[in-house]
Amino acid sequence: MNDRFSLEGKVALVTGAAYGIGFAIAQSYAMAGAKIAFNCRSREHMEKALEAYRAKGIAAKGYLCDVTDETQVGEMIGDIREHMGAVDILVNNAGIIKRIPMTEMTVEDFRQVIDIDLNAAFIVSKAVLPDMIERRRGKIINVCSMMSELGRETVSAYAAAKGGLKMLTRNIASEYGGYNIQCNGIGPGYIATPQTAPLREPQADGSRHPFDSFIISKTPAARWGTPEDLMGPALFLASAASDFVNGQILYVDGGILAYIGKQP
């Protein structure tokens, strides 16, 4: 059974894995034997990330690459192929969120979220698929969201992007499943990361942030998730244990999507 979850000798590219969810996923893959590549757009974040990987004993290879730029992505994939081997596992994790009411959001802001959260996944997946098709094997994992299923105020662009990413996941599975390529999504619930830190900051009087209280009340697990909560599910989707799982979204949300909430 351990062999089914081994990634020994595999090459994994995790986009946006300088910290948070992407870093935890990359760490889980390294622990299972994979060679790790990741990207970020900031040299400062790159240096901090490489130091964090070294502290975990992981010899990750970092790339300064904008995943919305097809030329840069092509160069990154080519370099990974030359120095590490063709990508066996791709995790499309890079993403941003802008919490702005729709009537106040500019078209430029909306397009930026769609470009990073959805278009980039298309660009990077397109770049790795030819090698996967040629070798007749590969794993693509798209980091979706509960907003792939639900709407909420102020996140119109994010929800639109993540809903599109869910359907891109299903389409890649449909189009390339015959080549023994599995494309699945992982849908985090509310995870305690730097991106969600503003939603958890205590109020001036020391009380919980209203949104923090709201999430705790809506989550059967009665807590925020951690990046480590995603390590096992992400490893499953990258390993031979999921070879007959395709086009699915695995929600790791503490039960939120199954829960209507407490009776008042």
Side-chain angles (χ1 to χ4, degrees), residues 14-23 25 90-96 116-117 141-143 162:
V14 185
T15 68
Y19 57 87
I21 289 172
F23 183 86
I25 290 174
L90 166 65
V91 181
N92 286 308
N93 167 73
I96 62 169
I116 294 173
D117 292 13
I141 297 112
N142 293 323
V143 178
K162 293 301 185 178

Side-chain angles (χ1 to χ4, degrees), residues 21 25 91-94 117-118 121 141-149 158 161-170 183-189 191 195 230 248-252:
I21 289 172
I25 290 174
V91 181
N92 286 308
N93 167 73
D117 292 13
L118 176 57
I141 297 112
N142 293 323
V143 178
C144 297
S145 166
M146 291 190 308
M147 297 300 108
S148 300
E149 302 290 343
Y158 184 79
K162 293 301 185 178
L165 188 58
K166 174 181 71 175
M167 293 313 300
L168 177 63
T169 299
R170 292 176 176 173
C183 181
N184 293 288
I186 188 165
I191 307 296
Q195 193 177 55
L230 296 162
Q248 304 301 310
I249 313 297
L250 174 55
Y251 290 101
V252 186

Side-chain angles (χ1 to χ4, degrees), residues 8-29:
E8 194 66 39
K10 302 292 186 182
V11 175
L13 168 61
V14 185
T15 68
Y19 57 87
I21 289 172
F23 183 86
I25 290 174
Q27 183 183 350
S28 73
Y29 291 172

